[in-house]
Amino acid sequence: MMTGVIMNSPFTALSAVAILTSISLVIQTLELLVLKRSYQENGIWDWNILRKEFSDLSPKFQTFADHILSYPNFFYLIWARLFASMLVFFLPGFLIFLFLLFSSLAICIRWRGTFNGGSDYMTVVILSALTVSSAFPDSEVVAQGALYYIVIHLCFSYVISGFAKLGSSEWRRGSALLAFIDAGTFSAPESIRRLLSSSFPAFVLSWTIVLFECAFPLSLVNREICLVFLLLGFAFHLANAYFLGLNRFLFTWLAAYPALYWCAV
Amino acid sequence: MESKFLTLFRVLFPSWKFFTGVTEIPALYYRILSEHGDAGPWLPVLKRPERKWYSVFFNPEGNLCLAVQSLFQQVEAEIGELEPEQVELFEQSVSFQLLKNLALITLRSERLLEPGISFQFKLNRIRQGDLSGSGEDFLISKAI
């Protein structure tokens, strides 16, 4: 009840999105700091190799990229992103969000498009909404627009995936889950492999995921239904983080959930 | 140039199709060639990290693996777009250099880089979840 009253204001919902996004960004950025060896000189993504990728682009852009993305400047940019992410807790504002958006784009470009696929897409969607809304901090219309923008992408992220799964015979039969878990980042626990090797549990679990994703827009019908979908979504992303190593998706999607709850009628 | 620009900035055009069907995925292997040219077995470059109690929250090694896997998929897509006369030039591409770099880093970490020794790497396509690991090769480097 109390949550419902508080979340009636688009500004409060956006603040919740901002706080959860900052937690997600702190985790993402700490991971990049730990992975320094992969982008320093002689690392896998050595800038001396990557800079050739930009040779067809304008000389101005090349100079800019050389300044920002070369080592150790890129490492400093990541440190600055960590501080900016933490500043969101205390001092959320346009310049902070603009910098976080810029640094997120820089990280994606440094990894030739994205570092972590879908979680980068959602991070940029949320940061774009937060940047625009913080440029007009007193405008309720802009705040509402930012929330709708996040929710449209959130719903698309489930529905497009869900309907694409419906077209796959492996998902319809229930055999896809075992294949994905076997191909995951970590070795699959034997008990889960056994469970998914049996056709009935695998079938039920596959269809639960497909139906949850396809039906996700129903979460907008009312807040009680919305809460059920959010809980299912949390469990879904938690399982993905555990079995497939997709921890970034868990935190990035959670950051978008207050927007959905606000939008639910 | 337009396609390279779009690739670099593709995060601005979200794609929301995740795990939509079981497909073939590329994997990188290397092998050591002795001074006399004898070839050792093909070994996988990418090793699965160990799951830790905190991996659900903080997972740098797992995300590095996913980024490397994306690199393989990007290389596979680039090779698929090559015209026959461009195949030789592919060795000068950023993608090829990154693969070579990755293989070199693996050899260094395994302490396999010794004087007189050369190596090869290859990309192989395996079906997701196929634990036998046998698939079709679609890129084999010269001895390096």
Short mmCIF file of all heavy atoms in Angstrom, two decimals, chain A residues 156-190:
data_model
loop_
_atom_site.label_atom_id
_atom_site.label_comp_id
_atom_site.label_asym_id
_atom_site.label_seq_id
_atom_site.Cartn_x
_atom_site.Cartn_y
_atom_site.Cartn_z
N PHE A 156 9.54 -5.08 -24.66
CA PHE A 156 10.09 -5.65 -25.90
C PHE A 156 11.13 -6.73 -25.60
O PHE A 156 11.19 -7.74 -26.28
CB PHE A 156 10.75 -4.56 -26.75
CG PHE A 156 9.80 -3.84 -27.68
CD1 PHE A 156 9.99 -2.50 -28.00
CD2 PHE A 156 8.73 -4.51 -28.25
CE1 PHE A 156 9.13 -1.85 -28.86
CE2 PHE A 156 7.86 -3.85 -29.11
CZ PHE A 156 8.05 -2.52 -29.42
N SER A 157 11.96 -6.46 -24.57
CA SER A 157 13.06 -7.39 -24.29
C SER A 157 12.53 -8.79 -23.95
O SER A 157 13.17 -9.78 -24.27
CB SER A 157 13.95 -6.87 -23.15
OG SER A 157 13.30 -6.98 -21.90
N TYR A 158 11.36 -8.85 -23.32
CA TYR A 158 10.79 -10.17 -22.99
C TYR A 158 9.97 -10.71 -24.17
O TYR A 158 10.10 -11.87 -24.55
CB TYR A 158 9.90 -10.08 -21.76
CG TYR A 158 10.66 -9.84 -20.46
CD1 TYR A 158 10.57 -8.64 -19.79
CD2 TYR A 158 11.46 -10.85 -19.92
CE1 TYR A 158 11.26 -8.42 -18.60
CE2 TYR A 158 12.15 -10.64 -18.73
CZ TYR A 158 12.04 -9.42 -18.08
OH TYR A 158 12.73 -9.21 -16.91
N VAL A 159 9.11 -9.83 -24.72
CA VAL A 159 8.15 -10.31 -25.73
C VAL A 159 8.85 -10.77 -27.01
O VAL A 159 8.53 -11.85 -27.54
CB VAL A 159 7.12 -9.19 -26.04
CG1 VAL A 159 6.24 -9.58 -27.22
CG2 VAL A 159 6.27 -8.92 -24.83
N ILE A 160 9.82 -9.97 -27.48
CA ILE A 160 10.52 -10.36 -28.72
C ILE A 160 11.24 -11.69 -28.51
O ILE A 160 11.18 -12.59 -29.34
CB ILE A 160 11.50 -9.24 -29.16
CG1 ILE A 160 10.70 -8.01 -29.60
CG2 ILE A 160 12.41 -9.71 -30.28
CD1 ILE A 160 11.53 -6.80 -29.94
N SER A 161 11.90 -11.80 -27.36
CA SER A 161 12.60 -13.04 -27.04
C SER A 161 11.62 -14.21 -26.93
O SER A 161 11.88 -15.31 -27.42
CB SER A 161 13.28 -12.88 -25.68
OG SER A 161 14.65 -12.97 -25.81
N GLY A 162 10.50 -13.98 -26.27
CA GLY A 162 9.51 -15.03 -26.05
C GLY A 162 8.93 -15.54 -27.36
O GLY A 162 8.86 -16.75 -27.59
N PHE A 163 8.52 -14.61 -28.24
CA PHE A 163 7.92 -15.05 -29.51
C PHE A 163 8.96 -15.71 -30.42
O PHE A 163 8.62 -16.63 -31.16
CB PHE A 163 7.20 -13.88 -30.20
CG PHE A 163 5.82 -13.69 -29.64
CD1 PHE A 163 5.58 -12.74 -28.64
CD2 PHE A 163 4.76 -14.48 -30.05
CE1 PHE A 163 4.32 -12.58 -28.08
CE2 PHE A 163 3.49 -14.33 -29.50
CZ PHE A 163 3.26 -13.37 -28.52
N ALA A 164 10.22 -15.24 -30.34
CA ALA A 164 11.27 -15.90 -31.13
C ALA A 164 11.47 -17.34 -30.63
O ALA A 164 11.68 -18.26 -31.42
CB ALA A 164 12.56 -15.11 -31.03
N LYS A 165 11.37 -17.53 -29.31
CA LYS A 165 11.51 -18.89 -28.74
C LYS A 165 10.36 -19.78 -29.23
O LYS A 165 10.55 -20.97 -29.48
CB LYS A 165 11.51 -18.83 -27.21
CG LYS A 165 12.82 -18.32 -26.62
CD LYS A 165 12.77 -18.37 -25.10
CE LYS A 165 14.06 -17.87 -24.47
NZ LYS A 165 14.17 -16.44 -24.33
N LEU A 166 9.17 -19.17 -29.32
CA LEU A 166 8.01 -19.96 -29.79
C LEU A 166 8.26 -20.55 -31.16
O LEU A 166 7.74 -21.62 -31.50
CB LEU A 166 6.78 -19.03 -29.88
CG LEU A 166 5.81 -19.02 -28.72
CD1 LEU A 166 4.62 -18.12 -29.06
CD2 LEU A 166 5.31 -20.42 -28.38
N GLY A 167 9.06 -19.87 -31.96
CA GLY A 167 9.36 -20.35 -33.31
C GLY A 167 10.41 -21.45 -33.33
O GLY A 167 10.70 -22.00 -34.39
N SER A 168 10.99 -21.76 -32.18
CA SER A 168 12.06 -22.76 -32.15
C SER A 168 11.51 -24.11 -31.69
O SER A 168 10.89 -24.21 -30.61
CB SER A 168 13.16 -22.28 -31.19
OG SER A 168 13.82 -23.36 -30.61
N SER A 169 11.76 -25.15 -32.48
CA SER A 169 11.23 -26.48 -32.12
C SER A 169 11.89 -26.99 -30.84
O SER A 169 11.26 -27.69 -30.05
CB SER A 169 11.43 -27.46 -33.26
OG SER A 169 12.80 -27.54 -33.57
N GLU A 170 13.19 -26.61 -30.61
CA GLU A 170 13.87 -27.08 -29.38
C GLU A 170 13.19 -26.50 -28.13
O GLU A 170 13.06 -27.19 -27.13
CB GLU A 170 15.34 -26.66 -29.38
CG GLU A 170 16.20 -27.36 -30.41
CD GLU A 170 16.43 -26.49 -31.63
OE1 GLU A 170 15.71 -25.47 -31.79
OE2 GLU A 170 17.33 -26.83 -32.42
N TRP A 171 12.78 -25.24 -28.21
CA TRP A 171 12.08 -24.65 -27.06
C TRP A 171 10.70 -25.29 -26.88
O TRP A 171 10.29 -25.58 -25.76
CB TRP A 171 11.92 -23.13 -27.24
CG TRP A 171 13.10 -22.36 -26.70
CD1 TRP A 171 14.11 -21.84 -27.45
CD2 TRP A 171 13.40 -22.08 -25.33
NE1 TRP A 171 15.03 -21.24 -26.61
CE2 TRP A 171 14.61 -21.36 -25.32
CE3 TRP A 171 12.77 -22.34 -24.12
CZ2 TRP A 171 15.21 -20.91 -24.14
CZ3 TRP A 171 13.36 -21.89 -22.94
CH2 TRP A 171 14.57 -21.19 -22.96
N ARG A 172 10.02 -25.54 -27.99
CA ARG A 172 8.67 -26.12 -27.87
C ARG A 172 8.74 -27.54 -27.32
O ARG A 172 7.88 -27.97 -26.55
CB ARG A 172 7.97 -26.10 -29.24
CG ARG A 172 7.61 -24.70 -29.73
CD ARG A 172 6.60 -24.76 -30.87
NE ARG A 172 7.04 -25.60 -31.96
CZ ARG A 172 7.75 -25.18 -33.02
NH1 ARG A 172 8.11 -23.91 -33.09
NH2 ARG A 172 8.10 -26.01 -33.96
N ARG A 173 9.80 -28.27 -27.69
CA ARG A 173 9.94 -29.65 -27.20
C ARG A 173 10.51 -29.69 -25.78
O ARG A 173 10.34 -30.63 -25.05
CB ARG A 173 10.90 -30.43 -28.11
CG ARG A 173 10.31 -30.91 -29.41
CD ARG A 173 11.15 -32.05 -29.99
NE ARG A 173 12.56 -31.72 -30.03
CZ ARG A 173 13.18 -31.19 -31.07
NH1 ARG A 173 12.50 -30.91 -32.16
NH2 ARG A 173 14.47 -30.92 -31.04
N GLY A 174 11.25 -28.63 -25.41
CA GLY A 174 11.85 -28.58 -24.07
C GLY A 174 13.32 -28.96 -24.04
O GLY A 174 13.93 -29.01 -22.96
N SER A 175 13.93 -29.17 -25.22
CA SER A 175 15.34 -29.61 -25.22
C SER A 175 16.33 -28.43 -25.23
O SER A 175 17.52 -28.63 -25.03
CB SER A 175 15.60 -30.50 -26.43
OG SER A 175 15.32 -29.80 -27.63
N ALA A 176 15.83 -27.21 -25.45
CA ALA A 176 16.74 -26.06 -25.58
C ALA A 176 17.46 -25.76 -24.26
O ALA A 176 18.66 -25.43 -24.25
CB ALA A 176 15.98 -24.84 -26.05
N LEU A 177 16.74 -25.88 -23.14
CA LEU A 177 17.31 -25.46 -21.85
C LEU A 177 18.60 -26.23 -21.52
O LEU A 177 19.59 -25.63 -21.10
CB LEU A 177 16.29 -25.68 -20.74
CG LEU A 177 15.28 -24.55 -20.54
CD1 LEU A 177 14.24 -24.94 -19.50
CD2 LEU A 177 15.99 -23.27 -20.11
N LEU A 178 18.57 -27.55 -21.74
CA LEU A 178 19.75 -28.36 -21.43
C LEU A 178 20.93 -27.93 -22.32
O LEU A 178 22.06 -27.80 -21.85
CB LEU A 178 19.45 -29.85 -21.61
CG LEU A 178 20.60 -30.78 -21.24
CD1 LEU A 178 20.97 -30.65 -19.76
CD2 LEU A 178 20.25 -32.24 -21.54
N ALA A 179 20.63 -27.67 -23.60
CA ALA A 179 21.70 -27.25 -24.53
C ALA A 179 22.31 -25.93 -24.08
O ALA A 179 23.54 -25.78 -24.07
CB ALA A 179 21.13 -27.12 -25.94
N PHE A 180 21.47 -24.98 -23.66
CA PHE A 180 22.00 -23.67 -23.23
C PHE A 180 22.79 -23.80 -21.93
O PHE A 180 23.81 -23.15 -21.74
CB PHE A 180 20.87 -22.65 -23.07
CG PHE A 180 20.31 -22.19 -24.38
CD1 PHE A 180 18.95 -22.23 -24.63
CD2 PHE A 180 21.15 -21.73 -25.38
CE1 PHE A 180 18.44 -21.82 -25.85
CE2 PHE A 180 20.65 -21.31 -26.61
CZ PHE A 180 19.29 -21.36 -26.84
N ILE A 181 22.28 -24.63 -21.02
CA ILE A 181 22.97 -24.79 -19.74
C ILE A 181 24.31 -25.49 -19.94
O ILE A 181 25.31 -25.12 -19.34
CB ILE A 181 22.04 -25.50 -18.73
CG1 ILE A 181 21.01 -24.47 -18.28
CG2 ILE A 181 22.82 -26.08 -17.55
CD1 ILE A 181 20.30 -24.71 -17.03
N ASP A 182 24.35 -26.47 -20.84
CA ASP A 182 25.62 -27.16 -21.14
C ASP A 182 26.61 -26.21 -21.82
O ASP A 182 27.82 -26.37 -21.69
CB ASP A 182 25.36 -28.38 -22.03
CG ASP A 182 24.96 -29.59 -21.21
OD1 ASP A 182 25.28 -29.61 -20.00
OD2 ASP A 182 24.34 -30.51 -21.76
N ALA A 183 26.09 -25.25 -22.59
CA ALA A 183 26.98 -24.31 -23.29
C ALA A 183 27.27 -23.07 -22.44
O ALA A 183 27.95 -22.16 -22.90
CB ALA A 183 26.34 -23.89 -24.61
N GLY A 184 26.77 -23.03 -21.21
CA GLY A 184 26.90 -21.83 -20.36
C GLY A 184 28.32 -21.56 -19.90
O GLY A 184 29.24 -22.35 -20.15
N THR A 185 28.48 -20.43 -19.24
CA THR A 185 29.81 -20.02 -18.78
C THR A 185 30.39 -21.02 -17.78
O THR A 185 31.57 -21.31 -17.80
CB THR A 185 29.70 -18.63 -18.09
OG1 THR A 185 28.94 -17.79 -18.93
CG2 THR A 185 31.05 -18.03 -17.84
N PHE A 186 29.53 -21.51 -16.90
CA PHE A 186 30.00 -22.45 -15.87
C PHE A 186 29.53 -23.86 -16.21
O PHE A 186 28.58 -24.04 -16.96
CB PHE A 186 29.42 -22.08 -14.50
CG PHE A 186 29.73 -20.70 -14.05
CD1 PHE A 186 28.73 -19.76 -13.86
CD2 PHE A 186 31.04 -20.31 -13.80
CE1 PHE A 186 29.02 -18.47 -13.43
CE2 PHE A 186 31.33 -19.03 -13.38
CZ PHE A 186 30.32 -18.11 -13.20
N SER A 187 30.21 -24.84 -15.61
CA SER A 187 29.73 -26.22 -15.76
C SER A 187 28.39 -26.34 -15.05
O SER A 187 28.21 -25.79 -13.97
CB SER A 187 30.72 -27.19 -15.12
OG SER A 187 31.96 -27.08 -15.75
N ALA A 188 27.48 -27.08 -15.67
CA ALA A 188 26.15 -27.22 -15.08
C ALA A 188 26.18 -28.23 -13.94
O ALA A 188 26.82 -29.28 -14.06
CB ALA A 188 25.18 -27.68 -16.15
N PRO A 189 25.50 -27.94 -12.81
CA PRO A 189 25.41 -28.93 -11.73
C PRO A 189 24.72 -30.20 -12.25
O PRO A 189 23.78 -30.12 -13.02
CB PRO A 189 24.54 -28.23 -10.67
CG PRO A 189 24.55 -26.79 -11.02
CD PRO A 189 24.78 -26.71 -12.49
N GLU A 190 25.23 -31.35 -11.82
CA GLU A 190 24.73 -32.63 -12.34
C GLU A 190 23.24 -32.80 -12.06
O GLU A 190 22.50 -33.33 -12.89
CB GLU A 190 25.55 -33.78 -11.72
CG GLU A 190 25.55 -35.07 -12.50
CD GLU A 190 25.64 -34.92 -14.02
OE1 GLU A 190 26.53 -34.22 -14.55
OE2 GLU A 190 24.77 -35.50 -14.69
#
